[in-house]
Amino acid sequence: MMNIADSQIYRGSNRTMRVVELTAPGILAENFEPIPEPQLDEVLLRTQAISVCSTDVSYFHGYLHPDHYPVILGHEYVGEVVAVGPDADPDLMGKRLSYFGQTDFKGMAEYRVLRPLFAGETKSSTFETSRDFKDDHYAAAVVIPDDVDRTAAPLLEPITAVLRAILKHPPKVGDNALVLGGGPCGAIAGTILKKVFATRTVGLLERNADRAAMAQSHYADVVYRDAEALGSGRDPGLRFDYIFDALPPIVGGAEDADPRRAAFKSATPEATYILYGASMEMQKFDTWLLLAKGINVKAGAFDVDYYPMSYTASVLRSALNLLQSKIIDPEWIMSRHIRFEDFDALAWTFQNHEKNPDLKTVITFDA
C-alpha cells in the first residue's frame, strides 16, 4: 500500500499546499496549509481543475453562512488520486475522480482528501449538519475516463445536482417547461428538459442578453427578458406545467416585477415547481397564487435520509454519460478559463459573477 510519505508529491520538504480561503463575506485570501494524509478509506487527490459554482458565490456574498471562517470553497472538482488510506482501494492510484458531496467543499486547494462512494456501493456515514439536514461523510464519486478533459470534468457536479432534482420530480410527456434563470444550472436544466425528456416547449426567463442568446442557440424555444413579459400573457396559448427555479437569491426589488410571481402567473393549475437554488436568505413566494392554482413545490432535497448518497452516485454516473455523449456540451458552458495561480482573476470572478457574460469559469491547476 502506498503511503503519503512515499508518494513523492511534495514540493521539496515543505509538505504544504496553496489554498484560497474565504476569510469573511466578500474577502478571499491566499494561504498555505499542510497537505492532508488520507485516513482509513480516504484518498488524496491532487487537484487538476475546479469550476466556480453559484453556491460558492452565495458564500462569498453572505447569502450562505459557513459554520466558521476561514473556509475553503470549491466543490465542482476533478483531481488525480496520488495516495490512498489503508482501507481504500489501491487500484484507484493514478485515476482521476470527480465527486458530489452536500457540504464537501475544499476544492480551492492544491490537494484534498475524499471518502469516495461509487455507483453500486451502499455504505454510509451520516451526520447531522448545523443547517437542519442530515449529510454523509462519503461523497458520491466517479472515475473520469481519459477522453474527458480536465476542463470539462468539473461540470459533472452541477449536472448531477440538476439531474437529481429532475429525476426525482420529472416532467410529464408533453409538458411546457419553464426555466427561471439562464445561468449554468438553468442552462443544464433547460438542455436536459429539451433533449432528454419529452417536453413540448422549453421557455426561459433571463435578463442577461448574452445568456439569453446562448439559450436560444442551444435549448430555449422562447425567452422572456423580464418578469413583466412572462407574467403579462404575451403568449396567450402558452402556459407552463413544469417550472425549474434556478434563480439566485432575490434581494429587494418591486413585488410586481418578482420573477417567481410572474412564473406562478404563467403556470397551469397543479403545475410542478422545482425549487433548486439554495439560499439561507428568506425568499418571497406569492402564497395566493400558490393556493389559487394548487402549485406543487418540489425539491431534490439535500437530506440523505430522503436522497441517500448511494442514489446520488448512480445519478453521477448518468451525468457522466450525458457529458461524454455531448448531450451536455461543455464547449459553450465552460466558457472562461483561468489559472489557480492567478489570484486577481480568481477574485474578479467572485466579485463580478452576476455581470460575467460567460456561463461558467474553470480554474485549472499547474501540474
Side-chain angles (χ1 to χ4, degrees), residues 166-199:
I166 294 177
L167 287 175
K168 199 71 171 179
H169 308 290
K172 297 185 293 294
V173 173
D175 272 358
N176 291 321
L178 173 68
V179 177
L180 303 182
C185 289
I188 292 168
T191 302
I192 290 173
L193 292 169
K194 180 75 172 180
K195 295 184 178 182
V196 178
F197 290 86
T199 53

PDB file of all heavy atoms in Angstrom, residues 166-199:
ATOM      1  N   ILE A 166     -34.489  16.760 -11.182  1.00  0.00           N
ATOM      2  CA  ILE A 166     -35.403  16.440 -12.276  1.00  0.00           C
ATOM      3  C   ILE A 166     -35.803  14.965 -12.240  1.00  0.00           C
ATOM      4  O   ILE A 166     -36.981  14.627 -12.451  1.00  0.00           O
ATOM      5  CB  ILE A 166     -34.777  16.816 -13.630  1.00  0.00           C
ATOM      6  CG1 ILE A 166     -34.600  18.342 -13.724  1.00  0.00           C
ATOM      7  CG2 ILE A 166     -35.647  16.325 -14.784  1.00  0.00           C
ATOM      8  CD1 ILE A 166     -33.920  18.808 -14.998  1.00  0.00           C
ATOM      9  N   LEU A 167     -34.860  14.064 -11.965  1.00  0.00           N
ATOM     10  CA  LEU A 167     -35.191  12.645 -11.926  1.00  0.00           C
ATOM     11  C   LEU A 167     -36.140  12.330 -10.766  1.00  0.00           C
ATOM     12  O   LEU A 167     -36.992  11.438 -10.878  1.00  0.00           O
ATOM     13  CB  LEU A 167     -33.916  11.808 -11.795  1.00  0.00           C
ATOM     14  CG  LEU A 167     -33.039  11.717 -13.036  1.00  0.00           C
ATOM     15  CD1 LEU A 167     -31.754  10.964 -12.728  1.00  0.00           C
ATOM     16  CD2 LEU A 167     -33.778  11.037 -14.185  1.00  0.00           C
ATOM     17  N   LYS A 168     -35.999  13.029  -9.657  1.00  0.00           N
ATOM     18  CA  LYS A 168     -36.887  12.803  -8.517  1.00  0.00           C
ATOM     19  C   LYS A 168     -38.291  13.332  -8.803  1.00  0.00           C
ATOM     20  O   LYS A 168     -39.291  12.760  -8.334  1.00  0.00           O
ATOM     21  CB  LYS A 168     -36.309  13.485  -7.280  1.00  0.00           C
ATOM     22  CG  LYS A 168     -36.865  12.978  -5.968  1.00  0.00           C
ATOM     23  CD  LYS A 168     -36.381  11.577  -5.663  1.00  0.00           C
ATOM     24  CE  LYS A 168     -36.755  11.143  -4.260  1.00  0.00           C
ATOM     25  NZ  LYS A 168     -36.316   9.779  -3.940  1.00  0.00           N
ATOM     26  N   HIS A 169     -38.364  14.410  -9.572  1.00  0.00           N
ATOM     27  CA  HIS A 169     -39.655  15.039  -9.897  1.00  0.00           C
ATOM     28  C   HIS A 169     -39.673  15.377 -11.387  1.00  0.00           C
ATOM     29  O   HIS A 169     -39.529  16.539 -11.781  1.00  0.00           O
ATOM     30  CB  HIS A 169     -39.860  16.297  -9.061  1.00  0.00           C
ATOM     31  CG  HIS A 169     -39.669  16.088  -7.586  1.00  0.00           C
ATOM     32  ND1 HIS A 169     -40.553  15.370  -6.823  1.00  0.00           N
ATOM     33  CD2 HIS A 169     -38.669  16.475  -6.766  1.00  0.00           C
ATOM     34  CE1 HIS A 169     -40.125  15.338  -5.570  1.00  0.00           C
ATOM     35  NE2 HIS A 169     -38.981  16.001  -5.507  1.00  0.00           N
ATOM     36  N   PRO A 170     -39.849  14.385 -12.247  1.00  0.00           N
ATOM     37  CA  PRO A 170     -39.727  14.617 -13.686  1.00  0.00           C
ATOM     38  C   PRO A 170     -40.978  15.284 -14.274  1.00  0.00           C
ATOM     39  O   PRO A 170     -42.072  15.177 -13.714  1.00  0.00           O
ATOM     40  CB  PRO A 170     -39.571  13.200 -14.245  1.00  0.00           C
ATOM     41  CG  PRO A 170     -40.305  12.343 -13.267  1.00  0.00           C
ATOM     42  CD  PRO A 170     -40.072  12.972 -11.919  1.00  0.00           C
ATOM     43  N   PRO A 171     -40.822  15.965 -15.413  1.00  0.00           N
ATOM     44  CA  PRO A 171     -41.994  16.480 -16.120  1.00  0.00           C
ATOM     45  C   PRO A 171     -42.760  15.340 -16.775  1.00  0.00           C
ATOM     46  O   PRO A 171     -42.226  14.250 -16.977  1.00  0.00           O
ATOM     47  CB  PRO A 171     -41.376  17.407 -17.179  1.00  0.00           C
ATOM     48  CG  PRO A 171     -40.026  16.818 -17.430  1.00  0.00           C
ATOM     49  CD  PRO A 171     -39.567  16.257 -16.116  1.00  0.00           C
ATOM     50  N   LYS A 172     -44.008  15.621 -17.113  1.00  0.00           N
ATOM     51  CA  LYS A 172     -44.804  14.654 -17.849  1.00  0.00           C
ATOM     52  C   LYS A 172     -44.570  14.838 -19.352  1.00  0.00           C
ATOM     53  O   LYS A 172     -44.150  15.920 -19.802  1.00  0.00           O
ATOM     54  CB  LYS A 172     -46.288  14.818 -17.518  1.00  0.00           C
ATOM     55  CG  LYS A 172     -46.633  14.561 -16.056  1.00  0.00           C
ATOM     56  CD  LYS A 172     -48.113  14.611 -15.806  1.00  0.00           C
ATOM     57  CE  LYS A 172     -48.707  15.983 -15.995  1.00  0.00           C
ATOM     58  NZ  LYS A 172     -48.223  16.953 -15.015  1.00  0.00           N
ATOM     59  N   VAL A 173     -44.863  13.789 -20.101  1.00  0.00           N
ATOM     60  CA  VAL A 173     -44.743  13.870 -21.560  1.00  0.00           C
ATOM     61  C   VAL A 173     -45.645  14.992 -22.065  1.00  0.00           C
ATOM     62  O   VAL A 173     -46.821  15.086 -21.695  1.00  0.00           O
ATOM     63  CB  VAL A 173     -45.138  12.529 -22.207  1.00  0.00           C
ATOM     64  CG1 VAL A 173     -45.187  12.672 -23.732  1.00  0.00           C
ATOM     65  CG2 VAL A 173     -44.165  11.434 -21.802  1.00  0.00           C
ATOM     66  N   GLY A 174     -45.078  15.867 -22.883  1.00  0.00           N
ATOM     67  CA  GLY A 174     -45.847  16.959 -23.468  1.00  0.00           C
ATOM     68  C   GLY A 174     -45.970  18.196 -22.616  1.00  0.00           C
ATOM     69  O   GLY A 174     -46.646  19.158 -23.000  1.00  0.00           O
ATOM     70  N   ASP A 175     -45.324  18.219 -21.446  1.00  0.00           N
ATOM     71  CA  ASP A 175     -45.363  19.413 -20.603  1.00  0.00           C
ATOM     72  C   ASP A 175     -44.672  20.587 -21.280  1.00  0.00           C
ATOM     73  O   ASP A 175     -43.672  20.425 -21.995  1.00  0.00           O
ATOM     74  CB  ASP A 175     -44.654  19.153 -19.270  1.00  0.00           C
ATOM     75  CG  ASP A 175     -45.576  18.570 -18.217  1.00  0.00           C
ATOM     76  OD1 ASP A 175     -46.776  18.387 -18.495  1.00  0.00           O
ATOM     77  OD2 ASP A 175     -45.088  18.289 -17.092  1.00  0.00           O
ATOM     78  N   ASN A 176     -45.199  21.780 -21.022  1.00  0.00           N
ATOM     79  CA  ASN A 176     -44.469  23.008 -21.312  1.00  0.00           C
ATOM     80  C   ASN A 176     -43.628  23.339 -20.080  1.00  0.00           C
ATOM     81  O   ASN A 176     -44.169  23.450 -18.971  1.00  0.00           O
ATOM     82  CB  ASN A 176     -45.423  24.169 -21.603  1.00  0.00           C
ATOM     83  CG  ASN A 176     -46.154  23.991 -22.912  1.00  0.00           C
ATOM     84  OD1 ASN A 176     -45.579  23.531 -23.907  1.00  0.00           O
ATOM     85  ND2 ASN A 176     -47.435  24.334 -22.942  1.00  0.00           N
ATOM     86  N   ALA A 177     -42.330  23.447 -20.273  1.00  0.00           N
ATOM     87  CA  ALA A 177     -41.403  23.655 -19.160  1.00  0.00           C
ATOM     88  C   ALA A 177     -40.835  25.062 -19.209  1.00  0.00           C
ATOM     89  O   ALA A 177     -40.552  25.601 -20.288  1.00  0.00           O
ATOM     90  CB  ALA A 177     -40.268  22.638 -19.212  1.00  0.00           C
ATOM     91  N   LEU A 178     -40.664  25.652 -18.051  1.00  0.00           N
ATOM     92  CA  LEU A 178     -40.084  26.992 -17.914  1.00  0.00           C
ATOM     93  C   LEU A 178     -38.908  26.920 -16.971  1.00  0.00           C
ATOM     94  O   LEU A 178     -38.995  26.339 -15.888  1.00  0.00           O
ATOM     95  CB  LEU A 178     -41.130  27.967 -17.358  1.00  0.00           C
ATOM     96  CG  LEU A 178     -40.639  29.377 -17.009  1.00  0.00           C
ATOM     97  CD1 LEU A 178     -40.245  30.147 -18.273  1.00  0.00           C
ATOM     98  CD2 LEU A 178     -41.708  30.141 -16.228  1.00  0.00           C
ATOM     99  N   VAL A 179     -37.792  27.523 -17.372  1.00  0.00           N
ATOM    100  CA  VAL A 179     -36.609  27.623 -16.522  1.00  0.00           C
ATOM    101  C   VAL A 179     -36.457  29.079 -16.095  1.00  0.00           C
ATOM    102  O   VAL A 179     -36.490  29.992 -16.940  1.00  0.00           O
ATOM    103  CB  VAL A 179     -35.341  27.148 -17.268  1.00  0.00           C
ATOM    104  CG1 VAL A 179     -34.107  27.338 -16.394  1.00  0.00           C
ATOM    105  CG2 VAL A 179     -35.485  25.686 -17.685  1.00  0.00           C
ATOM    106  N   LEU A 180     -36.309  29.297 -14.805  1.00  0.00           N
ATOM    107  CA  LEU A 180     -36.067  30.634 -14.281  1.00  0.00           C
ATOM    108  C   LEU A 180     -34.572  30.793 -14.051  1.00  0.00           C
ATOM    109  O   LEU A 180     -33.995  30.135 -13.178  1.00  0.00           O
ATOM    110  CB  LEU A 180     -36.825  30.846 -12.961  1.00  0.00           C
ATOM    111  CG  LEU A 180     -38.340  30.652 -12.999  1.00  0.00           C
ATOM    112  CD1 LEU A 180     -38.945  30.946 -11.630  1.00  0.00           C
ATOM    113  CD2 LEU A 180     -38.974  31.543 -14.061  1.00  0.00           C
ATOM    114  N   GLY A 181     -33.937  31.628 -14.840  1.00  0.00           N
ATOM    115  CA  GLY A 181     -32.506  31.877 -14.711  1.00  0.00           C
ATOM    116  C   GLY A 181     -31.696  31.083 -15.707  1.00  0.00           C
ATOM    117  O   GLY A 181     -31.726  29.847 -15.693  1.00  0.00           O
ATOM    118  N   GLY A 182     -30.978  31.786 -16.584  1.00  0.00           N
ATOM    119  CA  GLY A 182     -30.192  31.136 -17.624  1.00  0.00           C
ATOM    120  C   GLY A 182     -28.725  31.005 -17.289  1.00  0.00           C
ATOM    121  O   GLY A 182     -27.890  30.929 -18.196  1.00  0.00           O
ATOM    122  N   GLY A 183     -28.397  30.960 -15.994  1.00  0.00           N
ATOM    123  CA  GLY A 183     -27.027  30.696 -15.588  1.00  0.00           C
ATOM    124  C   GLY A 183     -26.657  29.242 -15.852  1.00  0.00           C
ATOM    125  O   GLY A 183     -27.404  28.507 -16.517  1.00  0.00           O
ATOM    126  N   PRO A 184     -25.530  28.787 -15.337  1.00  0.00           N
ATOM    127  CA  PRO A 184     -25.065  27.432 -15.653  1.00  0.00           C
ATOM    128  C   PRO A 184     -26.073  26.340 -15.332  1.00  0.00           C
ATOM    129  O   PRO A 184     -26.348  25.470 -16.159  1.00  0.00           O
ATOM    130  CB  PRO A 184     -23.792  27.296 -14.813  1.00  0.00           C
ATOM    131  CG  PRO A 184     -23.300  28.688 -14.643  1.00  0.00           C
ATOM    132  CD  PRO A 184     -24.521  29.535 -14.542  1.00  0.00           C
ATOM    133  N   CYS A 185     -26.653  26.363 -14.120  1.00  0.00           N
ATOM    134  CA  CYS A 185     -27.594  25.302 -13.754  1.00  0.00           C
ATOM    135  C   CYS A 185     -28.899  25.432 -14.516  1.00  0.00           C
ATOM    136  O   CYS A 185     -29.528  24.423 -14.866  1.00  0.00           O
ATOM    137  CB  CYS A 185     -27.828  25.301 -12.250  1.00  0.00           C
ATOM    138  SG  CYS A 185     -26.383  24.699 -11.326  1.00  0.00           S
ATOM    139  N   GLY A 186     -29.328  26.656 -14.788  1.00  0.00           N
ATOM    140  CA  GLY A 186     -30.502  26.834 -15.629  1.00  0.00           C
ATOM    141  C   GLY A 186     -30.267  26.319 -17.036  1.00  0.00           C
ATOM    142  O   GLY A 186     -31.146  25.693 -17.643  1.00  0.00           O
ATOM    143  N   ALA A 187     -29.065  26.559 -17.564  1.00  0.00           N
ATOM    144  CA  ALA A 187     -28.724  26.059 -18.895  1.00  0.00           C
ATOM    145  C   ALA A 187     -28.691  24.533 -18.919  1.00  0.00           C
ATOM    146  O   ALA A 187     -29.156  23.899 -19.874  1.00  0.00           O
ATOM    147  CB  ALA A 187     -27.382  26.636 -19.343  1.00  0.00           C
ATOM    148  N   ILE A 188     -28.134  23.932 -17.872  1.00  0.00           N
ATOM    149  CA  ILE A 188     -28.104  22.472 -17.787  1.00  0.00           C
ATOM    150  C   ILE A 188     -29.529  21.927 -17.699  1.00  0.00           C
ATOM    151  O   ILE A 188     -29.894  20.968 -18.388  1.00  0.00           O
ATOM    152  CB  ILE A 188     -27.264  22.024 -16.576  1.00  0.00           C
ATOM    153  CG1 ILE A 188     -25.786  22.358 -16.811  1.00  0.00           C
ATOM    154  CG2 ILE A 188     -27.439  20.527 -16.307  1.00  0.00           C
ATOM    155  CD1 ILE A 188     -24.929  22.228 -15.565  1.00  0.00           C
ATOM    156  N   ALA A 189     -30.357  22.547 -16.848  1.00  0.00           N
ATOM    157  CA  ALA A 189     -31.738  22.096 -16.707  1.00  0.00           C
ATOM    158  C   ALA A 189     -32.494  22.223 -18.021  1.00  0.00           C
ATOM    159  O   ALA A 189     -33.207  21.297 -18.443  1.00  0.00           O
ATOM    160  CB  ALA A 189     -32.439  22.896 -15.609  1.00  0.00           C
ATOM    161  N   GLY A 190     -32.353  23.367 -18.690  1.00  0.00           N
ATOM    162  CA  GLY A 190     -33.046  23.558 -19.958  1.00  0.00           C
ATOM    163  C   GLY A 190     -32.626  22.550 -21.003  1.00  0.00           C
ATOM    164  O   GLY A 190     -33.458  22.026 -21.770  1.00  0.00           O
ATOM    165  N   THR A 191     -31.328  22.244 -21.043  1.00  0.00           N
ATOM    166  CA  THR A 191     -30.822  21.271 -22.011  1.00  0.00           C
ATOM    167  C   THR A 191     -31.360  19.875 -21.716  1.00  0.00           C
ATOM    168  O   THR A 191     -31.773  19.140 -22.631  1.00  0.00           O
ATOM    169  CB  THR A 191     -29.283  21.264 -21.995  1.00  0.00           C
ATOM    170  OG1 THR A 191     -28.797  22.575 -22.282  1.00  0.00           O
ATOM    171  CG2 THR A 191     -28.739  20.295 -23.026  1.00  0.00           C
ATOM    172  N   ILE A 192     -31.368  19.488 -20.447  1.00  0.00           N
ATOM    173  CA  ILE A 192     -31.896  18.172 -20.081  1.00  0.00           C
ATOM    174  C   ILE A 192     -33.386  18.084 -20.402  1.00  0.00           C
ATOM    175  O   ILE A 192     -33.863  17.086 -20.962  1.00  0.00           O
ATOM    176  CB  ILE A 192     -31.637  17.896 -18.588  1.00  0.00           C
ATOM    177  CG1 ILE A 192     -30.137  17.680 -18.344  1.00  0.00           C
ATOM    178  CG2 ILE A 192     -32.426  16.681 -18.103  1.00  0.00           C
ATOM    179  CD1 ILE A 192     -29.759  17.575 -16.881  1.00  0.00           C
ATOM    180  N   LEU A 193     -34.143  19.121 -20.064  1.00  0.00           N
ATOM    181  CA  LEU A 193     -35.573  19.111 -20.343  1.00  0.00           C
ATOM    182  C   LEU A 193     -35.850  19.066 -21.845  1.00  0.00           C
ATOM    183  O   LEU A 193     -36.812  18.446 -22.294  1.00  0.00           O
ATOM    184  CB  LEU A 193     -36.236  20.350 -19.721  1.00  0.00           C
ATOM    185  CG  LEU A 193     -36.254  20.380 -18.196  1.00  0.00           C
ATOM    186  CD1 LEU A 193     -36.677  21.749 -17.693  1.00  0.00           C
ATOM    187  CD2 LEU A 193     -37.175  19.294 -17.637  1.00  0.00           C
ATOM    188  N   LYS A 194     -34.996  19.705 -22.618  1.00  0.00           N
ATOM    189  CA  LYS A 194     -35.180  19.752 -24.071  1.00  0.00           C
ATOM    190  C   LYS A 194     -34.760  18.446 -24.733  1.00  0.00           C
ATOM    191  O   LYS A 194     -35.454  17.940 -25.629  1.00  0.00           O
ATOM    192  CB  LYS A 194     -34.341  20.907 -24.638  1.00  0.00           C
ATOM    193  CG  LYS A 194     -34.427  21.084 -26.154  1.00  0.00           C
ATOM    194  CD  LYS A 194     -35.742  21.699 -26.553  1.00  0.00           C
ATOM    195  CE  LYS A 194     -35.743  22.063 -28.027  1.00  0.00           C
ATOM    196  NZ  LYS A 194     -37.032  22.675 -28.409  1.00  0.00           N
ATOM    197  N   LYS A 195     -33.615  17.875 -24.315  1.00  0.00           N
ATOM    198  CA  LYS A 195     -33.011  16.769 -25.056  1.00  0.00           C
ATOM    199  C   LYS A 195     -33.264  15.392 -24.466  1.00  0.00           C
ATOM    200  O   LYS A 195     -33.107  14.390 -25.164  1.00  0.00           O
ATOM    201  CB  LYS A 195     -31.492  17.001 -25.170  1.00  0.00           C
ATOM    202  CG  LYS A 195     -31.119  18.224 -25.987  1.00  0.00           C
ATOM    203  CD  LYS A 195     -29.609  18.338 -26.136  1.00  0.00           C
ATOM    204  CE  LYS A 195     -29.212  19.527 -26.998  1.00  0.00           C
ATOM    205  NZ  LYS A 195     -27.745  19.612 -27.185  1.00  0.00           N
ATOM    206  N   VAL A 196     -33.626  15.330 -23.184  1.00  0.00           N
ATOM    207  CA  VAL A 196     -33.770  14.031 -22.524  1.00  0.00           C
ATOM    208  C   VAL A 196     -35.239  13.705 -22.256  1.00  0.00           C
ATOM    209  O   VAL A 196     -35.656  12.557 -22.384  1.00  0.00           O
ATOM    210  CB  VAL A 196     -32.958  13.983 -21.221  1.00  0.00           C
ATOM    211  CG1 VAL A 196     -33.139  12.651 -20.505  1.00  0.00           C
ATOM    212  CG2 VAL A 196     -31.474  14.238 -21.509  1.00  0.00           C
ATOM    213  N   PHE A 197     -36.031  14.710 -21.877  1.00  0.00           N
ATOM    214  CA  PHE A 197     -37.434  14.491 -21.557  1.00  0.00           C
ATOM    215  C   PHE A 197     -38.316  15.004 -22.701  1.00  0.00           C
ATOM    216  O   PHE A 197     -37.947  15.934 -23.416  1.00  0.00           O
ATOM    217  CB  PHE A 197     -37.799  15.185 -20.245  1.00  0.00           C
ATOM    218  CG  PHE A 197     -37.174  14.530 -19.049  1.00  0.00           C
ATOM    219  CD1 PHE A 197     -35.891  14.864 -18.649  1.00  0.00           C
ATOM    220  CD2 PHE A 197     -37.854  13.550 -18.346  1.00  0.00           C
ATOM    221  CE1 PHE A 197     -35.303  14.254 -17.552  1.00  0.00           C
ATOM    222  CE2 PHE A 197     -37.270  12.931 -17.253  1.00  0.00           C
ATOM    223  CZ  PHE A 197     -35.995  13.278 -16.856  1.00  0.00           C
ATOM    224  N   ALA A 198     -39.496  14.416 -22.827  1.00  0.00           N
ATOM    225  CA  ALA A 198     -40.365  14.701 -23.975  1.00  0.00           C
ATOM    226  C   ALA A 198     -41.244  15.918 -23.702  1.00  0.00           C
ATOM    227  O   ALA A 198     -42.481  15.854 -23.753  1.00  0.00           O
ATOM    228  CB  ALA A 198     -41.214  13.480 -24.302  1.00  0.00           C
ATOM    229  N   THR A 199     -40.607  17.034 -23.395  1.00  0.00           N
ATOM    230  CA  THR A 199     -41.350  18.275 -23.206  1.00  0.00           C
ATOM    231  C   THR A 199     -41.762  18.855 -24.555  1.00  0.00           C
ATOM    232  O   THR A 199     -41.107  18.628 -25.572  1.00  0.00           O
ATOM    233  CB  THR A 199     -40.501  19.303 -22.444  1.00  0.00           C
ATOM    234  OG1 THR A 199     -39.240  19.464 -23.114  1.00  0.00           O
ATOM    235  CG2 THR A 199     -40.246  18.837 -21.014  1.00  0.00           C
TER     236      THR A 199
END
